Coordinates of all heavy atoms in Angstrom, one line a residue:
M595 N -35.0 7.7 39.4 CA -34.5 6.9 38.3 C -35.1 7.4 37.0 O -36.3 7.8 37.0 CB -34.7 5.4 38.5 CG -34.0 4.9 39.7 SD -32.2 5.2 39.7 CE -31.9 5.9 41.3
L596 N -34.4 7.3 35.9 CA -34.9 7.7 34.7 C -35.3 6.6 33.8 O -34.5 5.7 33.5 CB -33.8 8.5 34.0 CG -34.0 9.0 32.5 CD1 -35.2 10.0 32.5 CD2 -32.8 9.6 32.0
D597 N -36.6 6.6 33.4 CA -37.0 5.6 32.5 C -36.4 5.9 31.1 O -36.0 7.1 30.9 CB -38.5 5.6 32.3 CG -39.2 5.2 33.6 OD1 -38.6 4.4 34.4 OD2 -40.3 5.7 33.9
R598 N -36.4 5.0 30.2 CA -36.0 5.3 28.9 C -36.9 6.4 28.3 O -38.1 6.5 28.7 CB -35.9 4.1 28.0 CG -34.9 3.1 28.4 CD -33.5 3.8 28.5 NE -33.1 4.5 27.3 CZ -32.1 5.4 27.3 NH1 -31.5 5.7 28.4 NH2 -31.8 6.0 26.2
Q599 N -36.4 7.1 27.4 CA -37.3 8.1 26.8 C -38.5 7.5 26.1 O -38.3 6.4 25.5 CB -36.5 9.0 25.8 CG -35.5 9.8 26.5 CD -34.9 10.8 25.5 OE1 -34.6 10.5 24.4 NE2 -34.6 12.0 26.0
E600 N -39.6 8.1 26.3 CA -40.8 7.4 25.8 C -41.5 8.3 24.8 O -41.3 9.5 24.8 CB -41.8 7.2 27.0 CG -41.3 6.2 28.0 CD -42.2 6.0 29.1 OE1 -43.3 6.6 29.0 OE2 -41.9 5.3 30.0
E601 N -42.2 7.7 24.0 CA -42.9 8.5 23.0 C -44.2 9.0 23.6 O -44.9 8.3 24.3 CB -43.3 7.6 21.8 CG -43.7 8.3 20.6 CD -43.9 7.3 19.4 OE1 -43.5 6.2 19.5 OE2 -44.5 7.8 18.4
A602 N -44.5 10.3 23.3 CA -45.7 10.9 23.9 C -46.9 10.4 23.1 O -46.9 10.5 21.8 CB -45.6 12.4 23.8
H603 N -47.8 9.9 23.7 CA -49.0 9.4 23.0 C -50.2 10.3 23.0 O -51.3 9.9 22.7 CB -49.4 8.0 23.7 CG -48.4 7.0 23.5 ND1 -48.0 6.5 22.3 CD2 -47.6 6.3 24.4 CE1 -47.0 5.5 22.5 NE2 -46.8 5.4 23.8
G604 N -49.9 11.5 23.4 CA -51.0 12.5 23.4 C -52.1 12.2 24.4 O -53.3 12.4 24.2
Q605 N -51.7 11.6 25.5 CA -52.6 11.3 26.6 C -52.9 12.7 27.2 O -53.2 13.6 26.5 CB -52.1 10.4 27.7 CG -50.9 9.5 27.3 CD -49.6 10.1 27.4 OE1 -49.4 11.3 27.0 NE2 -48.6 9.4 28.0
E606 N -52.8 12.8 28.5 CA -53.0 14.1 29.2 C -51.9 15.0 28.8 O -50.8 14.5 28.4 CB -53.1 13.9 30.7 CG -51.8 13.7 31.4 CD -51.4 12.3 31.5 OE1 -51.7 11.5 30.6 OE2 -50.9 11.9 32.6
E607 N -52.1 16.3 29.0 CA -51.1 17.2 28.6 C -49.8 17.0 29.4 O -49.8 16.9 30.6 CB -51.6 18.6 28.9 CG -51.6 19.5 27.7 CD -52.2 20.8 27.9 OE1 -52.0 21.4 29.0 OE2 -53.0 21.3 27.1
A608 N -48.7 16.9 28.7 CA -47.4 16.7 29.4 C -46.8 18.1 29.6 O -46.6 18.9 28.7 CB -46.5 15.9 28.5
V609 N -46.6 18.4 30.9 CA -46.0 19.6 31.3 C -44.6 19.3 31.9 O -44.5 18.5 32.8 CB -46.9 20.4 32.3 CG1 -46.2 21.7 32.7 CG2 -48.2 20.8 31.6
C610 N -43.6 20.1 31.5 CA -42.3 19.9 32.0 C -42.2 20.3 33.5 O -42.6 21.4 33.8 CB -41.3 20.7 31.1 SG -39.6 20.6 31.7
V611 N -41.6 19.4 34.3 CA -41.4 19.7 35.7 C -40.4 20.8 35.9 O -40.5 21.6 36.8 CB -41.0 18.4 36.4 CG1 -40.8 18.7 37.9 CG2 -42.0 17.3 36.2
G612 N -39.4 20.8 34.9 CA -38.3 21.7 35.1 C -38.7 23.2 34.8 O -38.4 24.1 35.6
C613 N -39.4 23.4 33.7 CA -39.7 24.8 33.3 C -41.2 25.1 33.3 O -41.6 26.3 33.1 CB -39.1 25.1 31.9 SG -39.8 24.1 30.6
G614 N -42.0 24.1 33.5 CA -43.5 24.4 33.6 C -44.1 24.6 32.2 O -45.3 24.9 32.1
V615 N -43.4 24.4 31.1 CA -43.9 24.6 29.8 C -44.4 23.3 29.2 O -43.8 22.3 29.5 CB -42.8 25.2 28.9 CG1 -43.3 25.3 27.4 CG2 -42.5 26.6 29.4
R616 N -45.5 23.3 28.5 CA -46.0 22.1 27.9 C -45.0 21.5 27.0 O -44.3 22.2 26.2 CB -47.3 22.4 27.2 CG -48.1 21.2 26.8 CD -49.5 21.6 26.6 NE -49.7 22.4 25.4 CZ -50.0 21.9 24.2 NH1 -50.2 20.6 24.0 NH2 -50.2 22.7 23.2
I617 N -44.9 20.2 27.0 CA -44.0 19.5 26.2 C -44.7 19.1 24.9 O -45.7 18.3 24.9 CB -43.5 18.2 26.9 CG1 -42.8 18.6 28.2 CG2 -42.6 17.4 26.0 CD1 -42.4 17.4 29.0
T618 N -44.2 19.7 23.8 CA -44.8 19.4 22.5 C -43.9 18.5 21.7 O -44.3 18.0 20.6 CB -45.1 20.7 21.7 OG1 -43.9 21.4 21.7 CG2 -46.1 21.5 22.4
E619 N -42.7 18.3 22.1 CA -41.8 17.4 21.4 C -42.3 16.0 21.5 O -43.0 15.6 22.4 CB -40.4 17.5 22.0 CG -39.6 18.8 21.7 CD -40.0 19.8 22.8 OE1 -40.9 19.6 23.5 OE2 -39.3 20.9 22.8
R620 N -41.9 15.3 20.5 CA -42.3 13.9 20.5 C -41.6 13.1 21.5 O -42.2 12.1 22.0 CB -42.0 13.3 19.1 CG -42.7 12.0 18.8 CD -42.5 11.6 17.3 NE -43.0 10.2 17.2 CZ -42.4 9.4 16.3 NH1 -41.4 9.8 15.6 NH2 -42.8 8.2 16.2
W621 N -40.4 13.5 21.8 CA -39.6 12.7 22.8 C -39.4 13.5 24.1 O -39.2 14.7 24.0 CB -38.3 12.3 22.2 CG -38.4 11.4 21.1 CD1 -38.5 11.7 19.8 CD2 -38.5 9.9 21.2 NE1 -38.7 10.5 19.1 CE2 -38.7 9.5 19.9 CE3 -38.5 9.0 22.2 CZ2 -38.8 8.1 19.6 CZ3 -38.7 7.7 22.0 CH2 -38.8 7.2 20.7
F622 N -39.6 12.9 25.2 CA -39.3 13.6 26.4 C -38.8 12.6 27.4 O -38.7 11.4 27.1 CB -40.6 14.2 27.0 CG -41.7 13.2 27.2 CD1 -41.9 12.5 28.4 CD2 -42.6 12.9 26.1 CE1 -42.9 11.6 28.5 CE2 -43.6 11.9 26.3 CZ -43.7 11.3 27.5
S623 N -38.4 13.0 28.6 CA -37.9 12.1 29.6 C -38.8 12.1 30.7 O -39.5 13.1 31.1 CB -36.5 12.6 30.1 OG -35.6 12.6 29.0
K624 N -38.9 11.0 31.3 CA -39.9 10.8 32.4 C -39.2 10.3 33.7 O -38.4 9.3 33.6 CB -41.0 9.8 32.0 CG -42.2 9.7 32.8 CD -43.2 8.9 32.1 CE -44.2 8.2 33.1 NZ -44.9 7.1 32.5
T625 N -39.5 10.9 34.8 CA -38.9 10.5 36.0 C -40.1 10.3 37.0 O -41.3 10.6 36.6 CB -37.9 11.5 36.6 OG1 -38.7 12.7 37.0 CG2 -36.9 11.9 35.6
Q626 N -39.8 9.9 38.2 CA -40.8 9.8 39.2 C -41.5 11.2 39.5 O -42.7 11.2 39.8 CB -40.2 9.3 40.6 CG -39.9 7.8 40.5 CD -39.4 7.3 41.8 OE1 -38.8 8.1 42.6 NE2 -39.7 6.1 42.2
E627 N -40.7 12.3 39.3 CA -41.3 13.6 39.5 C -42.3 14.0 38.4 O -43.1 14.8 38.6 CB -40.1 14.6 39.5 CG -39.4 14.7 40.9 CD -38.7 13.4 41.1 OE1 -38.1 12.9 40.2 OE2 -38.7 12.9 42.3
G628 N -42.1 13.5 37.2 CA -42.9 13.8 36.1 C -42.2 13.8 34.8 O -41.2 13.1 34.7
M629 N -42.6 14.7 33.9 CA -42.0 14.7 32.6 C -41.1 15.9 32.4 O -41.4 16.9 32.9 CB -43.1 14.5 31.5 CG -43.7 13.2 31.6 SD -45.0 13.0 30.5 CE -46.4 13.4 31.5
W630 N -40.1 15.7 31.5 CA -39.1 16.8 31.3 C -38.8 16.9 29.9 O -38.8 15.9 29.2 CB -37.8 16.4 32.0 CG -37.9 16.2 33.5 CD1 -38.5 15.1 34.1 CD2 -37.5 17.1 34.5 NE1 -38.4 15.2 35.5 CE2 -37.8 16.4 35.8 CE3 -36.9 18.3 34.5 CZ2 -37.5 17.0 37.0 CZ3 -36.6 18.9 35.8 CH2 -36.9 18.3 37.0
H631 N -38.6 18.2 29.4 CA -37.9 18.3 28.1 C -36.5 17.7 28.3 O -35.9 17.8 29.4 CB -37.7 19.8 27.8 CG -39.0 20.6 27.6 ND1 -39.4 21.6 28.4 CD2 -39.9 20.4 26.6 CE1 -40.6 22.0 28.0 NE2 -40.9 21.4 26.9
S632 N -36.0 17.1 27.3 CA -34.7 16.6 27.4 C -33.7 17.6 27.8 O -32.7 17.4 28.6 CB -34.2 15.9 26.1 OG -35.1 14.9 25.7
A633 N -33.9 18.9 27.3 CA -33.0 19.9 27.6 C -33.1 20.4 29.1 O -32.2 21.1 29.6 CB -33.2 21.1 26.7
C634 N -34.2 20.2 29.7 CA -34.5 20.7 31.0 C -34.0 19.7 32.1 O -33.9 20.0 33.3 CB -35.9 20.9 31.3 SG -36.6 22.3 30.3
L635 N -33.6 18.5 31.7 CA -33.2 17.5 32.6 C -31.7 17.7 32.9 O -30.9 17.2 32.2 CB -33.5 16.1 32.0 CG -33.6 14.9 32.9 CD1 -34.8 15.1 33.9 CD2 -33.8 13.7 32.1
R636 N -31.5 18.5 33.9 CA -30.1 18.8 34.3 C -29.9 18.6 35.8 O -30.8 18.7 36.6 CB -29.8 20.3 33.9 CG -29.7 20.5 32.4 CD -29.6 21.9 32.1 NE -29.5 22.2 30.7 CZ -28.4 22.1 30.0 NH1 -27.3 22.0 30.6 NH2 -28.4 22.3 28.7
C637 N -28.7 18.4 36.1 CA -28.3 18.3 37.5 C -28.5 19.6 38.2 O -28.2 20.7 37.8 CB -26.8 17.9 37.6 SG -26.2 17.9 39.3
S638 N -29.2 19.6 39.4 CA -29.5 20.8 40.2 C -28.2 21.4 40.7 O -28.2 22.6 41.1 CB -30.4 20.4 41.4 OG -31.6 19.8 40.9
E639 N -27.2 20.6 40.8 CA -25.9 21.1 41.4 C -25.0 21.7 40.3 O -24.5 22.8 40.4 CB -25.3 20.0 42.2 CG -24.3 20.4 43.2 CD -24.9 21.3 44.3 OE1 -26.0 21.0 44.7 OE2 -24.2 22.2 44.7
C640 N -24.6 20.9 39.4 CA -23.6 21.3 38.4 C -24.2 21.6 37.0 O -23.5 22.0 36.1 CB -22.5 20.2 38.3 SG -23.1 18.7 37.6
H641 N -25.5 21.4 36.9 CA -26.2 21.8 35.7 C -25.8 21.1 34.4 O -26.0 21.5 33.3 CB -26.1 23.3 35.4 CG -26.6 24.1 36.6 ND1 -27.9 24.0 37.0 CD2 -26.0 24.8 37.5 CE1 -28.1 24.8 38.1 NE2 -26.9 25.3 38.4
Q642 N -25.1 20.0 34.5 CA -24.8 19.2 33.3 C -26.1 18.4 32.9 O -26.9 18.1 33.7 CB -23.7 18.2 33.6 CG -24.0 17.1 34.5 CD -23.0 16.0 34.5 OE1 -22.7 15.3 33.6 NE2 -22.4 15.8 35.7
P643 N -26.2 18.2 31.6 CA -27.4 17.5 31.1 C -27.4 16.1 31.6 O -26.4 15.5 31.7 CB -27.2 17.6 29.6 CG -26.1 18.5 29.3 CD -25.3 18.6 30.6
L644 N -28.6 15.6 31.9 CA -28.7 14.3 32.4 C -29.5 13.4 31.4 O -30.7 13.2 31.6 CB -29.4 14.3 33.8 CG -28.8 15.1 34.9 CD1 -29.7 15.2 36.1 CD2 -27.5 14.5 35.3
E645 N -28.8 13.0 30.5 CA -29.5 12.2 29.4 C -29.5 10.7 29.7 O -30.5 10.0 29.6 CB -28.8 12.5 28.1 CG -29.2 13.9 27.6 CD -28.3 14.3 26.4 OE1 -27.5 13.4 25.9 OE2 -28.4 15.4 26.0
E646 N -28.4 10.2 30.2 CA -28.2 8.8 30.4 C -28.6 8.4 31.8 O -29.4 7.5 32.0 CB -26.8 8.3 30.1 CG -26.4 8.4 28.7 CD -27.3 7.6 27.8 OE1 -27.6 6.5 28.2 OE2 -27.6 8.0 26.7
K647 N -28.1 9.1 32.7 CA -28.3 8.8 34.1 C -28.8 9.9 34.9 O -28.3 11.1 34.7 CB -27.0 8.2 34.7 CG -25.9 9.2 34.8 CD -24.9 8.9 33.7 CE -23.7 9.8 33.8 NZ -23.9 11.2 33.4
C648 N -29.8 9.8 35.8 CA -30.1 10.8 36.7 C -30.6 10.2 38.0 O -31.2 9.2 38.0 CB -31.1 11.8 36.1 SG -32.8 11.3 36.2
F649 N -30.5 11.0 39.0 CA -30.8 10.5 40.3 C -31.7 11.6 41.0 O -31.3 12.7 41.1 CB -29.6 10.2 41.2 CG -28.7 9.2 40.6 CD1 -27.8 9.6 39.6 CD2 -28.8 7.8 40.9 CE1 -26.9 8.6 39.0 CE2 -28.0 6.9 40.3 CZ -27.1 7.3 39.3
A650 N -32.8 11.2 41.5 CA -33.7 12.1 42.1 C -33.6 12.1 43.7 O -33.6 11.0 44.3 CB -35.2 11.8 41.7
K651 N -33.6 13.3 44.3 CA -33.5 13.3 45.7 C -34.3 14.6 46.1 O -33.9 15.7 45.7 CB -32.1 13.3 46.2 CG -31.9 13.2 47.7 CD -30.5 12.9 48.0 CE -29.5 14.0 47.6 NZ -28.1 13.7 48.1
H652 N -35.2 14.5 47.0 CA -36.0 15.6 47.5 C -36.5 16.5 46.4 O -36.5 17.7 46.4 CB -35.1 16.5 48.4 CG -34.4 15.7 49.5 ND1 -35.1 14.8 50.3 CD2 -33.1 15.7 49.9 CE1 -34.2 14.3 51.2 NE2 -33.0 14.8 50.9
G653 N -37.0 15.9 45.3 CA -37.6 16.6 44.3 C -36.6 17.3 43.3 O -37.1 18.0 42.5
H654 N -35.4 17.1 43.5 CA -34.4 17.6 42.6 C -33.6 16.5 42.0 O -33.5 15.4 42.5 CB -33.4 18.5 43.4 CG -34.0 19.8 43.9 ND1 -34.3 20.9 43.1 CD2 -34.4 20.1 45.2 CE1 -34.9 21.8 43.9 NE2 -34.9 21.4 45.1
L655 N -33.1 16.8 40.8 CA -32.3 15.8 40.1 C -30.8 16.1 40.2 O -30.4 17.2 40.1 CB -32.8 15.8 38.6 CG -34.3 15.4 38.4 CD1 -34.6 15.7 37.0 CD2 -34.5 14.0 38.8
Y656 N -30.1 15.0 40.2 CA -28.7 15.2 40.3 C -28.0 14.2 39.5 O -28.5 13.1 39.2 CB -28.2 14.9 41.8 CG -28.8 15.9 42.8 CD1 -29.9 15.6 43.5 CD2 -28.2 17.1 43.0 CE1 -30.5 16.5 44.4 CE2 -28.7 18.0 43.9 CZ -29.9 17.7 44.6 OH -30.4 18.6 45.5
C657 N -26.8 14.5 39.1 CA -25.9 13.6 38.4 C -25.4 12.6 39.4 O -25.6 12.8 40.6 CB -24.8 14.3 37.6 SG -23.6 15.1 38.7
R658 N -24.7 11.6 38.9 CA -24.2 10.5 39.8 C -23.3 11.1 40.9 O -23.4 10.8 42.1 CB -23.5 9.5 39.0 CG -23.1 8.3 39.8 CD -22.3 7.3 38.9 NE -21.9 6.2 39.6 CZ -22.7 5.1 39.9 NH1 -23.9 5.1 39.5 NH2 -22.2 4.1 40.6
E659 N -22.4 12.0 40.5 CA -21.4 12.5 41.4 C -22.0 13.3 42.5 O -21.7 13.1 43.7 CB -20.4 13.3 40.7 CG -19.5 12.6 39.7 CD -20.2 12.6 38.3 OE1 -20.2 13.6 37.6 OE2 -20.7 11.5 37.9
D660 N -23.0 14.2 42.1 CA -23.6 15.0 43.2 C -24.6 14.3 44.0 O -24.8 14.6 45.2 CB -24.3 16.2 42.5 CG -23.3 17.2 41.9 OD1 -22.2 17.4 42.5 OD2 -23.5 17.7 40.8
Y661 N -25.2 13.3 43.5 CA -26.1 12.5 44.3 C -25.4 11.7 45.4 O -25.9 11.7 46.5 CB -26.9 11.5 43.4 CG -27.9 10.7 44.1 CD1 -29.2 11.2 44.3 CD2 -27.6 9.4 44.5 CE1 -30.1 10.5 45.0 CE2 -28.6 8.7 45.2 CZ -29.8 9.2 45.4 OH -30.8 8.5 46.1
F662 N -24.3 11.2 45.1 CA -23.6 10.4 46.0 C -22.6 11.2 46.8 O -21.9 10.6 47.6 CB -22.9 9.2 45.4 CG -23.9 8.2 44.8 CD1 -24.1 8.0 43.5 CD2 -24.6 7.4 45.7 CE1 -25.0 7.1 43.0 CE2 -25.5 6.4 45.2 CZ -25.7 6.3 43.9
R663 N -22.6 12.5 46.6 CA -21.6 13.3 47.3 C -21.9 13.3 48.8 O -23.0 13.4 49.3 CB -21.7 14.7 46.8 CG -20.7 15.6 47.3 CD -20.9 17.0 46.8 NE -20.9 17.0 45.3 CZ -20.2 17.9 44.6 NH1 -19.6 18.8 45.1 NH2 -20.2 17.8 43.3
Ligands
ZN692 ZN1 -38.8 22.1 30.2
ZN693 ZN1 -24.1 17.3 39.1

């Protein structure tokens, strides 16, 4: 499940789960897997951006359609 986007507070270094690059943007997305650039948060299946809704399964993220497929 996707928490609402949170402000980075400069705690520990935020590294994007998707691309492994440090997140320097002020806004990022956070899931159970970790933190993501907004641009990296995409469905593993159809690669559409997952800004509003995302579903995690086996360490991958899916849009609603692919998750429930
Ligand atoms: Zn990234
Ligand atoms: Zn999809």
Side-chain angles (χ1 to χ4, degrees):
M595 296 303 129
L596 175 64
D597 297 329
R598 291 310 304 164
Q599 292 191 320
E600 294 177 5
E601 195 173 349
H603 293 298
Q605 337 86 316
E606 78 268 40
E607 236 175 41
V609 175
C610 175
V611 181
C613 66
V615 174
R616 192 157 68 95
I617 299 173
T618 53
E619 288 86 349
R620 190 169 170 217
W621 295 93
F622 57 92
S623 298
K624 194 171 151 197
T625 68
Q626 285 185 328
E627 279 67 40
M629 291 176 268
W630 302 76
H631 296 114
S632 299
C634 290
L635 202 61
R636 288 171 180 273
C637 174
S638 303
E639 198 62 39
C640 67
H641 305 293
Q642 71 168 296
L644 302 172
E645 286 166 6
E646 292 299 321
K647 62 256 183 291
C648 82
F649 301 85
K651 188 166 62 175
H652 309 312
H654 293 283
L655 297 172
Y656 299 94
C657 65
R658 184 183 180 81
E659 296 88 75
D660 290 320
Y661 182 82
F662 290 108
R663 188 181 301 224

